Amino acid sequence: AQSVTQLDSHVSVSEGTPVLLRCNYSSSYSPSLFWYVQHPNKGLQLLLKYTSAATLVKGINGFEAEFKKSETSFHLTKPSAHMSDAAEYFCVVIPYSSASKIIFGSGTRLSIRP
Amino acid sequence: EPEVTQTPSHQVTQMGQEVILRCVPISNHLYFYWYRQILGQKVEFLVSFYNNEISEKSEIFDDQFSVERPDGSNFTLKIRSTKLEDSAMYFCASTAESGGVETQYFGPGTRLLVL
């Protein structure tokens, strides 16, 4: 069965310090992996996606994620946090050729301290 | 940049009433989806729609739910007789193609509160 686990429900970092949001997945196939961000009262915005090309994926707003098959991980990172990064982040798995079976992680709330 | 839009942004209704949630997908997209997110819980898939018919639906999508594409631009989700447990954020999404690699573009959501 496919699943996705976001290991931290809440992460708090100081502005200017690195961000690490962890995601592990379980999939019988080669999945597509995504990170979405949700700001308060806003919709889900795509940050980046992995689709079996380069394992290091660069997204918007300075975020990037590395696909590690051996660890079944797709952690999201950013070198330097900005106050505007405060939001809920969702790791999402789409099993191969089944976009309608999209699986969302439970989300990680990122807080940024001044 | 094209985006998915949803109306209304918020809706409050009485239990047992019918609600219609509206979505305008990105214009050249062909596949449409509805999801819901109950407060504090994960986003859940409800239904996918292509070529004027339902492609897949989850166990949540029972007989009280229906979807329709009444014209060339709108995609609606109808809940016939709302229950308290239908209170959630409902997201619409669209893609240009189906398949595992296609990015889904989400609307801002409609927050439904059933009293």
Side-chain angles (χ1 to χ4, degrees), chain B residues 4 6 10 13 17 26 29 32-33 40 42 55 60 65-66 70 80 84 86 89 91 94 96-98 100 105 114:
Chain B
V4 177
Q6 289 185 244
H10 295 79
T13 189
Q17 296 295 306
I26 294 173
H29 285 187
F32 314 115
Y33 308 85
K42 290 187 180 185
S55 305
I60 304 167
F65 290 95
S66 62
R80 262 181 270 282
L84 296 177
D86 293 327
M89 180 76 98
F91 291 104
S94 69
E97 299 175 15
S98 184
Y105 292 87
V114 182

Side-chain angles (χ1 to χ4, degrees), chain B residues 31-105:
Chain B
Y31 296 81
F32 314 115
Y33 308 85
W34 281 103
Y35 298 85
R36 78 172 185 191
Q37 183 183 26
I38 295 172
L39 189 64
Q41 298 185 24
K42 290 187 180 185
V43 177
E44 303 170 290
F45 166 75
L46 290 178
V47 66
S48 60
F49 189 87
Y50 169 71
N51 199 26
N52 284 323
E53 61 183 28
I54 291 173
S55 305
E56 287 190 79
K57 60 183 180 180
S58 71
E59 292 175 355
I60 304 167
F61 194 88
D62 59 24
D63 291 344
Q64 70 161 343
F65 290 95
S66 62
V67 289
E68 194 178 33
R69 189 157 163 82
D71 53 43
S73 60
N74 289 286
F75 178 51
T76 62
L77 174 69
K78 182 191 291 185
I79 309 175
R80 262 181 270 282
S81 177
T82 50
K83 304 175 193 147
L84 296 177
E85 54 265 36
D86 293 327
S87 295
M89 180 76 98
Y90 288 81
F91 291 104
C92 172
S94 69
T95 67
E97 299 175 15
S98 184
V101 300
E102 189 61 30
T103 302
Q104 297 201 10
Y105 292 87

Side-chain angles (χ1 to χ4, degrees), chain A residues 4 32 34 36 38 41-46 49 51 90 94-106, chain B residues 10 33 35 37 41-45 48 56 89 91 98-109 111:
Chain A
V4 57
S32 297
F34 302 76
Y36 283 86
Q38 184 181 27
N41 301 314
K42 300 286 187 182
L44 294 157
Q45 181 185 18
L46 178 70
K49 67 177 181 181
T51 56
F90 293 94
I94 300 181
Y96 179 72
S97 72
S98 182
S100 59
K101 289 185 166 50
I102 189 171
I103 303 166
F104 280 77
S106 53
Chain B
H10 295 79
Y33 308 85
Y35 298 85
Q37 183 183 26
Q41 298 185 24
K42 290 187 180 185
V43 177
E44 303 170 290
F45 166 75
S48 60
E56 287 190 79
M89 180 76 98
F91 291 104
S98 184
V101 300
E102 189 61 30
T103 302
Q104 297 201 10
Y105 292 87
F106 287 83
R111 188 174 297 280

